[in-house]
Amino acid sequence: MPLTTYWLEHAWLDVNVEPGVALEVTEDGRIGAVRTGVEVPPPGAVVLRGLTIPGLANAHSHAFHRALRGTVQVGSGTFWTWREVMYTVAQRLTPDSYFALARAVYAEMALAGITSVGEFHYLHHAPGGSPYADPNAMGEALIAAAGEAGIRITLLDTAYLSSGFGAAPEQHQLRFTDGTAEKWAERVSALKEREGARIGAAIHSVRAVPADQLATVARWAADRSAPLHVHLSEQTAENDACLAAHGMTPTQLLAEHGVLGARTTGVHNTHLTDEDITLLGTSTTGTCMCPTTERDLADGIGPAVALQRAGSPLSLGSDSHAVIDLLEEARAMELNERLRTRTRGHWTAAALLRAATTDGHAALGWRDAGVLETGALADFTTITLDTVRTAGPVPRLAAETAVFAATAADVHHVVVGGRTIVRDGAHVSVPDVGEALATAIAALRN
């Protein structure tokens, strides 16, 4: 028997927008049935007006970067000058303050319709590099924060061992490193999956993990069939340094050491050669684009169209959280490509929604999420269609309206595992998310 029946005024079912959909949720938090053509709400059903889509997947997050918003928009500079500001914030975090910040950040994500996050986590130890009594205290804080905010998390525990191609970590990077990939694997193996939380792996970048240790991280993920993510060719300087050190591109180096594959996602994939694109596509290695961060840091526009055509599935992330809005990430990928090519229509609204939902969840290991189908996890998001941004278009164009006009502010209901976490635009368990963010960030200035 269904625990709850929802009547969806309009629902995006893979390709089409269907009016009048009854969605039954079972006691185990899954979709028990999807019935179309239901013109009026069944008795006792929860009525959701607007467009309901699968929950959004934020495939790349650094939760503590949220504390940089505004600060790093002052003046000019590059990725490398931005990084110095980031290091100062990283030095101030403790397990308790990181929990408070991440709880607020993940609640902000929930308000934006995000039901799963991939947390690319490399802030492991105390300042100076000494382990906490629990070596995974920082990761456990993130898992607990996601749980309280009501969203799923894939903790992508990150190996970060070098300041660049074998050089010792610098002082402000000592918090990040376990010393060797073997010690990283020993620590991360103590993390346990639980309801709503999965453990994956990440290679920070080819500059931060020596080539002879890449395979150790890849094997750890392979042995557990876990997701494996890696920052890849975000900066031309990284490519140049890799060529100087190894005589090959970062993508070629990863391929040589067995890192590429269907469970692997390259984050950014911005500055690639044609051969790189072929290697990523033929290995079905995923690509996570983070357009709002890539434009904020002046990184460049990645070859997303060519990557997808080559066979690389696309997902989306908010990365540095210059904004947290997966609808903006989706449209930015298309609009960036329009500016680059001076042509329109590289992806349909449905294709962009798949990147933000189905393929994003798959990149995080939640292959039973991201669709409104019987048996899938009951994770879904409702976008209102009567605001100043969304009012006017006919309902059959609701997907186009959502992708090309709506913002996170138009999300008004979010369900994760059959449990409502956002109702009428307000978070159920974090009453004032703005205040929680302000308090957590202010504490890091003291």
Side-chain angles (χ1 to χ4, degrees):
M1 295 293 292
L3 176 65
T4 307
T5 297
Y6 291 87
W7 183 78
L8 315 179
E9 184 181 28
H10 304 284
W12 180 68
L13 301 181
D14 187 31
V15 175
N16 299 317
V17 173
E18 296 284 347
V21 175
L23 189 150
E24 297 177 357
V25 174
T26 61
E27 291 185 1
D28 61 353
R30 292 184 177 270
I31 298 173
V34 179
R35 293 183 285 119
T36 59
V38 183
E39 295 182 0
V40 297
V46 177
V47 175
L48 296 181
R49 300 284 179 185
L51 174 68
T52 298
I53 63 175
L56 298 167
N58 188 352
H60 190 67
S61 163
H62 301 290
F64 77 93
H65 289 188
R66 176 60 179 82
L68 302 172
R69 187 184 295 178
T71 303
V72 291
Q73 276 70 47
V74 176
S76 60
T78 66
F79 167 86
W80 306 103
T81 55
W82 169 90
R83 191 175 70 156
E84 294 304 314
V85 180
M86 178 269 289
Y87 284 148
T88 64
V89 172
Q91 290 303 306
R92 296 172 182 158
L93 286 160
T94 66
D96 288 343
S97 63
Y98 206 5
F99 167 80
L101 176 60
R103 175 178 177 267
V105 173
Y106 296 151
E108 181 182 357
M109 290 185 193
L111 290 176
I114 293 164
T115 57
S116 295
V117 61
E119 184 60 39
F120 199 102
H121 167 56
Y122 55 85
L123 189 54
H124 302 306
H125 305 298
S130 298
Y132 290 102
D134 175 359
N136 287 303
M138 297 293 266
E140 293 287 357
L142 291 165
I143 292 171
E148 291 214 2
I151 70 173
R152 303 183 193 278
I153 185 171
T154 298
L155 188 74
L156 298 162
D157 195 287
T158 304
Y160 193 131
L161 309 173
S162 168
S163 62
F165 297 97
E170 298 175 3
Q171 180 64 32
H172 44 246
Q173 296 166 332
L174 293 175
R175 298 197 73 172
F176 309 160
T177 183
D178 292 293
T180 66
E182 288 76 13
K183 290 181 178 178
W184 166 85
E186 180 181 351
R187 177 184 54 74
V188 73
S189 293
L191 284 164
K192 303 301 180 186
E193 295 191 343
R194 63 211 75 172
E195 183 178 1
R198 291 182 174 168
I199 309 302
I203 293 164
H204 180 273
S205 56
V206 295
R207 69 177 185 274
V209 177
D212 62 359
Q213 299 186 61
L214 292 170
T216 299
V217 183
R219 278 196 302 271
W220 186 94
D223 288 347
R224 293 158 178 80
S225 298
L228 174 61
H229 288 216
V230 54
H231 289 137
L232 181 56
S233 288
E234 182 178 5
Q235 296 291 323
T236 55
E238 175 184 290
N239 289 358
D240 294 343
C242 190
L243 285 166
H246 299 290
M248 60 184 73
T249 68
T251 301
Q252 292 170 327
L253 187 67
L254 294 176
E256 185 172 272
H257 290 276
V259 175
L260 304 185
R263 286 178 296 95
T264 301
T265 297
V267 181
H268 303 301
N269 293 359
T270 307
H271 303 286
L272 302 176
T273 66
D274 290 344
E275 182 181 348
D276 292 340
I277 293 170
T278 298
L279 282 170
L280 293 168
T282 56
S283 64
T284 64
T285 299
T287 294
C288 179
M289 304 297 290
C290 305
T292 65
T293 292
E294 289 151 6
R295 72 191 185 197
D296 183 56
L297 297 180
D299 286 345
I301 300 171
V305 171
L307 282 160
Q308 188 173 53
R309 286 176 179 165
S312 178
L314 299 179
S315 57
L316 297 164
S318 63
D319 192 1
S320 70
H321 313 314
V323 297
I324 293 177
D325 188 337
L326 261 287
L327 298 174
E328 172 62 21
E329 303 293 346
R331 73 169 150 266
M333 188 164 67
E334 165 68 24
L335 298 183
N336 283 353
E337 193 66 17
R338 293 182 185 187
L339 286 174
R340 191 180 69 82
T341 63
R342 292 182 289 176
T343 60
R344 303 175 74 235
H346 302 277
W347 292 277
T348 63
L352 293 169
L353 281 176
R354 278 194 295 274
T357 57
T358 311
D359 291 340
H361 289 288
L364 299 178
W366 298 99
R367 294 188 177 274
D368 48 355
V371 291
L372 299 181
E373 295 178 356
T374 301
L377 291 168
D379 298 357
F380 48 91
T381 291
T382 303
I383 300 164
T384 188
L385 297 176
D386 59 1
T387 71
V388 294
R389 290 168 295 279
T390 60
V394 295
R396 66 181 177 81
L397 298 177
E400 285 77 10
T401 303
V403 171
F404 291 105
T407 73
D410 298 311
V411 170
H412 74 101
H413 203 93
V414 181
V415 172
V416 177
R419 183 169 65 93
T420 297
I421 61 169
V422 173
R423 180 182 291 114
D424 297 328
H427 200 285
V428 170
S429 60
V430 185
D432 190 336
V433 178
E435 177 59 28
L437 285 162
T439 299
I441 293 169
L444 300 178
R445 300 191 190 108
N446 299 330

